[in-house]
Amino acid sequence: MTGQPKRRRRASAPARRGGVGLALAGGGPLGGIYEIGTLLALADSLEGLDLNDLDAYVGVSAGALVASGLANGISPDQMYRLFIDDGHEAVLPPDIFLRPAFAEYGARVRSVPRLALRAALRYLRDPLRSGPVDSLNTLAQAMPIGMFDNREIERFFGRLLAAPGRTNDFRELRRPLFLVAANLDTGASVVFGAPGHDHVPISRAASASAALPGLFPPVVIDGEHYVDGALNKTLHASVALDHGVSLLLCVNPIVPYDASAAGRRGRITFEKLGHGGLPVVLSQTFRAIIHSRMKVGMEKYAAQYPGASVVLFEPDREDAQVFFANLFSYRQRKRTCALAYTKTRRNLAARAGELGPVLAAHGIRLRLDRLADEHRHVTDAVRDPRPLHADPDSPPTVRGTARDLDRALGELERFLVRA
């Protein structure tokens, strides 16, 4: 760990009574982008909510990366500049998620002669029972188990958490962080950050949680192979609820696309999703499966945790811009984040009567004046002047103060124009 040491905490200690937690689901790069937009809206619209000082963080898949940043004091503002903005501070190359897994390819290629020999010997020993299909099944073991290399993602995140004031050690965090992955060999969920699994570096646990089968190879931890935590559950919100929080904010960026509703609202892209080809069909199938599973789980929480309030934020099901977004275009990444920001603000405004008392019980108040401002944009919520690699407790820089002044003048100008 670099920088000033942080206060050690007991990973097994429950959150304080009445605590607030955050659970973030997966969804690949798009999921992380949407979550950042939602978090910016929450930070901008809720007074008394500090997203860097909650009582428990739970992350799955892409949500694991975002939750790890929040628990380390990286604000949603900084995440916007880091992952989405195309300014001079953006250090995440968009192609980092698309680098071929050459090591995996090489290992599989080297296994071909051995597997071919095994298939041939098996056929020769019993040609009547070992047909061509059996031989093909043997050779199928030479197929790569991941297309893209997630090691660079882990290295990038490790460097990010090595900055002063941050840590790559679960045990050194000020607040509990739980990242969920699935053991490939047993199918069981494993909660990294919990006792017995808190010695693993955060960057490695986050990489394991985000290792979507087929796209990324499994991540090996203590001799076990781990893949995307969404294999069993979408949110794993129960991890935070079991920890004792009484208000849990949940963000699920992946919902099935409702083409029929989009058509009625004039937002249609394809009249039938089947016209979009196999990738569109697979995306819709994946979204429908994980969303229906999450819905069943959410319905059980009211009975299992009667003293807790669970608040869920999701995209519109007929929003084609989110469903068909190009994840690796900076322009569309910024648009997706802005859509998440706007959608969340509208959700808060529409549910103000319902959410107001729930939030007030935890010292949080809706900023109705900001929610009523129809011209407010996601960039208006990006106000954190700290450099991306600075200590989270460091004072604002001169350049940051100037940026705040420029932004304030811009808001004043827009107000005068509307007046």
Side-chain angles (χ1 to χ4, degrees):
M1 175 182 172
T2 60
Q4 297 181 352
K6 298 184 178 182
R7 176 172 57 84
R8 290 182 64 89
R9 56 92 180 165
R10 289 174 58 89
S12 57
R16 63 177 180 264
R17 186 176 181 84
V20 180
L22 178 70
L24 301 175
L30 174 62
I33 292 167
Y34 192 92
E35 287 171 346
I36 292 172
T38 298
L39 294 172
L40 282 168
L42 295 178
D44 189 49
S45 307
L46 301 180
E47 183 179 357
L49 177 69
D50 184 352
L51 290 171
N52 292 122
D53 191 28
L54 301 181
D55 295 279
Y57 298 88
V58 178
V60 182
S61 194
L65 301 173
V66 178
S68 299
L70 291 172
N72 259 284
I74 303 176
S75 69
D77 308 44
Q78 291 175 304
M79 290 187 192
Y80 182 89
R81 303 204 309 270
L82 177 66
F83 297 113
I84 299 166
D85 197 6
D86 52 1
H88 68 280
E89 289 185 299
V91 296
L92 179 68
D95 65 343
I96 193 172
F97 299 100
L98 292 176
R99 296 182 181 177
F102 289 119
E104 170 67 14
Y105 297 163
R108 298 294 166 169
V109 169
R110 290 191 294 271
S111 72
V112 170
R114 174 177 53 83
L115 293 173
L117 178 61
R118 182 192 303 173
L121 290 175
R122 182 178 180 181
Y123 177 76
L124 292 173
R125 288 193 187 106
D126 194 351
L128 297 179
R129 297 181 59 183
S130 300
V133 174
D134 292 325
S135 299
L136 290 176
N137 286 337
T138 301
L139 290 173
Q141 297 176 39
M143 295 181 61
I145 54 177
M147 296 173 58
F148 306 115
D149 192 351
N150 46 8
R151 294 178 302 174
E152 184 57 34
I153 300 173
E154 179 184 343
R155 285 192 287 265
F156 167 83
F157 208 63
R159 291 192 297 268
L160 182 67
L161 299 185
R166 300 172 191 159
T167 180
N168 203 13
D169 190 331
F170 284 101
R171 299 162 294 187
E172 297 294 336
L173 289 170
R174 291 173 178 155
R175 296 297 185 192
L177 169 68
F178 305 106
L179 307 180
V180 186
N183 187 310
L184 182 62
D185 294 304
T186 66
S189 295
V190 175
V191 182
F192 292 104
H197 297 285
D198 55 359
H199 64 287
V200 178
I202 294 173
S203 58
R204 190 152 189 81
S207 178
S209 181
L212 184 64
L215 289 183
F216 299 106
V219 175
V220 180
I221 299 177
D222 296 336
E224 299 290 338
H225 292 75
Y226 292 95
V227 295
D228 198 312
L231 188 66
N232 288 320
K233 292 183 180 180
T234 303
L235 266 171
H236 289 274
S238 58
V239 174
L241 295 170
D242 287 337
H243 195 70
V245 301
S246 56
L247 173 62
L248 183 62
L249 305 176
C250 303
V251 184
N252 172 48
I254 301 300
V255 297
Y257 179 57
D258 189 340
S260 298
R264 290 193 298 268
R265 297 192 181 192
R267 302 179 181 179
I268 196 70
T269 300
F270 292 110
E271 183 179 355
K272 297 294 183 181
L273 291 183
H275 298 165
L278 181 61
V280 170
V281 172
L282 291 178
S283 176
Q284 178 75 335
T285 302
F286 171 75
R287 289 165 178 265
I289 290 173
I290 65 172
H291 191 264
S292 62
R293 186 178 59 187
M294 185 205 67
K295 186 177 179 181
V296 172
M298 295 289 285
E299 291 172 350
K300 294 179 179 179
Y301 292 150
Q304 293 176 341
Y305 308 95
S309 299
V310 180
V311 182
L312 176 65
F313 298 94
E314 293 182 316
D316 287 327
R317 292 187 56 178
E318 64 271 15
D319 198 330
Q321 293 188 69
V322 172
F323 185 79
F324 295 101
N326 178 356
L327 307 184
F328 304 99
S329 164
Y330 270 117
R331 180 174 57 85
Q332 291 196 33
R333 283 152 60 115
K334 294 170 75 171
R335 181 188 302 168
T336 299
C337 186
L339 285 170
Y341 174 83
T342 300
K343 163 62 181 174
T344 304
R345 279 169 37 85
R346 290 175 179 170
N347 188 290
L348 288 170
R351 300 167 64 187
E354 166 201 347
L355 295 179
V358 174
L359 297 173
H362 296 81
I364 303 171
R365 184 180 67 85
L366 286 165
R367 290 175 168 169
L368 298 177
D369 56 334
R370 291 189 178 180
L371 292 175
D373 184 358
E374 297 180 356
H375 300 278
R376 197 164 183 80
H377 187 263
V378 64
T379 53
D380 296 319
V382 182
R383 301 183 304 274
D384 191 339
R386 294 173 298 165
L388 292 172
H389 296 286
D391 188 311
D393 297 320
S394 63
T397 61
V398 173
R399 185 174 63 183
T401 303
R403 183 164 52 241
D404 274 356
L405 177 60
D406 179 71
R407 188 172 288 115
L409 291 174
E411 291 182 3
L412 176 61
E413 181 181 3
R414 284 192 294 272
F415 172 77
L416 294 175
V417 170
R418 292 196 299 270

